[in-house]
Amino acid sequence: GSSTQAVLQGSGQCGFARKHSMISALRTGLRTQRAVSARHFAAAAGRKPKAVDGTLEGRYATALFSAATSGKDNLKAVYGDLQNFRTAMQDSKEFRLAMESPGVDYKIKIQVIDDVTKKIGLSPESQNFFKILCENKRSFMIEKCIDVFESYYRDEMGQIVCRVTSAAELAGPQKDKVKTALQTRAGADKQLIVDYDVNPGLLGGIVVKMGDNVFDFSVNAKLERLQSTLLAPIA
């Protein structure tokens, strides 16, 4: 209704503001009491992530991962939901403000989530997850929770994010060679997600960030190593 429209006024990109009556009741298991909603969310337990993040946002992401893998495995659908939700927040300042501002009542935030669900579609697990964050006054952590869940998903799917930075843009055959070398190092069972970037400050060569590992083959790094060697005291 009008409260959602006021919060999202001016959001032309996502068009979430619509007229409809205020929520008289939420779905079964979603209550205004935070403890009740948390118990409902944790009721259906599935798998745990391979590497659990112990932060607060990590605990919420772990609970969602468990819910998404219980019964019918809905992990891919939930992952897609979170990507779409994050994109919507990035596209609309009004939507981001509605989710992150502590001054917006959680009931209005839940109504906004219902509007978003109608527009982009959300699985029950994802919709429940976002509503619980709002009820628990943790909606400002949504993007951090999504980041953690994304890392859980990639570990589960055997995906490794690689960033290749070069002094000049690599040609197609060069990218193919780099990716082949990365795949050999990662193993045939891993799925690589490779992003390419350009940084003229490298002078030449490439820097590869593969997961948590960094391999610096740039001319700049070689010059720094040479300088360190020349400046080192002679034994």
Side-chain angles (χ1 to χ4, degrees):
S2 59
S3 55
T4 302
Q5 212 164 12
V7 171
L8 298 181
Q9 187 175 11
S11 175
Q13 292 180 339
C14 295
F16 297 130
R18 302 175 183 179
K19 288 185 178 180
H20 69 291
S21 61
M22 286 294 290
I23 300 174
S24 59
L26 299 175
R27 291 186 176 183
T28 302
L30 285 171
R31 302 290 187 268
T32 55
Q33 294 89 352
R34 283 173 270 176
V36 175
S37 59
R39 284 198 298 272
H40 174 75
F41 190 65
R47 299 193 305 276
K48 283 189 176 182
K50 294 181 178 179
V52 175
D53 186 317
T55 62
L56 181 58
E57 55 266 27
R59 292 198 291 271
Y60 276 99
T62 299
L64 177 59
F65 186 93
S66 182
T69 54
S70 64
K72 179 184 177 182
D73 196 323
N74 212 20
L75 190 61
K76 288 186 178 180
V78 170
Y79 174 73
D81 289 343
L82 268 57
Q83 298 301 302
N84 291 335
F85 201 91
R86 178 164 56 190
T87 298
M89 288 183 67
Q90 292 171 346
D91 287 346
S92 170
K93 292 181 180 179
E94 292 79 10
F95 180 37
R96 177 188 290 274
L97 179 63
M99 289 294 98
E100 295 182 348
S101 174
V104 178
D105 186 80
Y106 81 90
K107 292 180 182 179
I108 296 178
K109 294 184 180 188
I110 287 175
Q111 186 177 353
V112 171
I113 290 171
D114 282 340
D115 289 342
V116 173
T117 298
K118 291 176 184 178
K119 182 173 180 63
I120 66 176
L122 292 174
S123 65
E125 295 92 342
S126 300
Q127 189 176 11
N128 196 19
F129 171 70
F130 291 126
K131 288 182 176 182
I132 288 168
L133 283 173
C134 292
E135 290 179 359
N136 291 0
K137 295 180 171 57
R138 295 288 186 269
S139 59
F140 64 90
M141 292 177 10
I142 283 178
E143 286 199 281
K144 289 184 178 179
C145 291
I146 292 175
D147 288 342
V148 176
F149 187 91
E150 184 176 61
S151 69
Y152 288 168
Y153 177 83
R154 287 175 172 170
D155 283 346
E156 184 73 13
M157 304 303 291
Q159 297 177 347
I160 301 177
V161 177
C162 304
R163 177 170 292 277
V164 179
T165 305
S166 54
E169 185 172 356
L170 299 178
Q174 292 174 312
K175 289 182 179 179
D176 291 340
K177 287 182 179 180
V178 170
K179 189 170 183 178
T180 298
L182 292 174
Q183 190 71 64
T184 300
R185 184 175 185 85
D189 61 326
K190 300 296 183 182
Q191 179 185 349
L192 301 184
I193 301 173
V194 185
D195 293 324
Y196 295 92
D197 195 13
V198 175
N199 179 6
L202 297 181
L203 303 180
I206 62 173
V207 176
V208 178
K209 188 176 187 301
M210 186 177 186
D212 295 328
N213 299 309
V214 177
F215 306 96
D216 194 340
F217 306 109
S218 67
V219 171
N220 190 48
K222 291 178 180 178
L223 290 175
E224 287 181 356
R225 288 194 291 269
L226 175 60
Q227 184 179 35
S228 296
T229 302
L230 294 175
L231 294 176
I234 300 175

